[in-house]
Amino acid sequence: SEWDSLRKQARNLENDIDLKLVAFNKVGSGTTNGGGSNQSADTSPLLGESIFESLAVEIEQMLEKLSNINEKMSELPANNSSAIMHTLQRHREILHGYRQEFTKIQANHTTRLEREELLRGNGLTIGSPSSGGLSRRDMYLKESTHLHNSNQLINDQISIAMETKEHLTSQRHNLKRFQTRFHDISNRFPLISSLIQRINIKKRRDSLILGGVIALCTILLLLYAFH
């Protein structure tokens, strides 16, 4: 019947899409089955990008075709039984899952390209003299080492700042203790405090007297000189 034919087409197309998505994921992530192919993908990024775009177009066409087959099956008469409705729902769920996987692979591929573009902006283009012929894996390891060293340097600076803060806090506590002791001593020995105040008053008085004498002598000298 037409139902069986469409269902067979849907199953075959689903199997083909599943295989294509596996290959699509490998190309998008920059990994292949063999070491030689991986090296070729590293040294020929444009070729890998071309294959990725070609697979993307092909998978989009296959997903669209599967969607049309599902629509045709839903439009057939005598499809009101629970078994047929369950089968249609299952095919739709499979199609939805394939679309999500396809979108996820494309997003991961875009993220990887942005990462490589950032590395190229830092002068680490794959195969260039400045990169020393580094592969993608070597570039990522080198970038990871730089990040780790920067993180370690920041941690060292934070440790130094914390030690400085603790040292300043300790000095502040010591000064407060000294100030408290001085206040305690002055409170315990009021005679010493009174004596210190008298000495200070006498020093200020002597300074005023000495200043007055010097001013008077200066005035007398000026008067004598002009007279």
Side-chain angles (χ1 to χ4, degrees):
S1 63
E2 187 176 1
W3 166 263
D4 293 333
S5 176
L6 290 174
R7 186 180 179 186
K8 183 178 180 180
Q9 294 179 22
R11 286 180 174 178
N12 293 334
L13 193 56
E14 286 170 356
N15 292 332
D16 293 339
I17 292 174
D18 188 59
L19 295 176
K20 288 291 184 180
L21 285 175
V22 173
F24 189 60
N25 187 30
K26 289 183 179 181
V27 176
S29 61
T31 59
T32 53
N33 293 328
S37 299
N38 190 14
Q39 184 178 2
S40 176
D42 286 338
T43 56
S44 303
L46 295 179
L47 179 60
E49 186 66 20
S50 176
I51 296 175
F52 183 84
E53 295 295 337
S54 177
L55 284 174
V57 173
E58 187 176 355
I59 293 174
E60 285 181 349
Q61 294 175 353
M62 296 173 71
L63 290 173
E64 185 66 25
K65 184 177 180 181
L66 181 59
S67 178
N68 294 333
I69 293 176
N70 290 341
E71 292 295 330
K72 289 181 181 179
M73 286 192 296
S74 64
E75 293 173 358
L76 288 177
N79 59 354
N80 296 325
S81 65
S82 60
I84 293 178
M85 295 298 296
H86 178 73
T87 302
L88 280 173
Q89 183 63 25
R90 179 57 183 163
H91 283 296
R92 286 169 180 163
E93 290 176 355
I94 292 174
L95 175 61
H96 181 68
Y98 284 156
R99 289 188 185 277
Q100 285 186 333
E101 183 68 17
F102 178 70
T103 304
K104 180 181 178 182
I105 294 173
Q106 283 187 318
N108 292 337
H109 178 69
T110 302
T111 302
R112 185 176 67 86
L113 290 181
E114 291 176 352
R115 175 71 173 177
E116 292 179 359
E117 185 66 25
L118 178 61
L119 294 177
R120 293 189 185 96
N122 292 331
L124 297 177
T125 307
I126 299 173
S128 65
S130 59
S131 66
L134 297 177
S135 63
R136 287 191 178 95
R137 181 181 301 175
D138 295 333
M139 290 173 61
Y140 292 151
L141 289 176
K142 187 174 182 179
E143 187 68 15
S144 177
T145 303
H146 289 326
L147 292 175
H148 177 73
N149 293 335
S150 300
N151 189 25
Q152 186 65 33
L153 181 60
I154 292 174
N155 290 332
D156 294 340
Q157 296 297 326
I158 293 175
S159 299
I160 294 173
M162 293 298 294
E163 292 177 357
T164 304
K165 179 183 177 182
E166 293 177 356
H167 183 66
L168 293 175
T169 304
S170 177
Q171 288 184 350
R172 184 179 64 181
H173 292 331
N174 292 331
L175 291 175
K176 285 185 177 180
R177 285 197 298 268
F178 292 150
Q179 185 178 7
T180 303
R181 289 180 181 178
F182 286 137
H183 283 297
D184 293 340
I185 293 173
S186 62
N187 292 330
R188 290 178 182 178
F189 302 99
L191 294 177
I192 297 176
S193 178
S194 177
L195 180 61
I196 294 174
Q197 291 180 358
R198 290 179 181 179
I199 293 173
N200 292 330
I201 293 173
K202 186 176 180 181
K203 287 174 64 176
R204 287 197 296 268
R205 185 181 61 186
D206 293 340
S207 298
L208 292 175
I209 294 173
L210 181 61
V213 172
I214 293 174
L216 180 60
C217 292
T218 303
I219 293 172
L220 292 175
L221 288 174
L222 291 174
L223 290 176
Y224 177 75
F226 287 104
H227 180 72

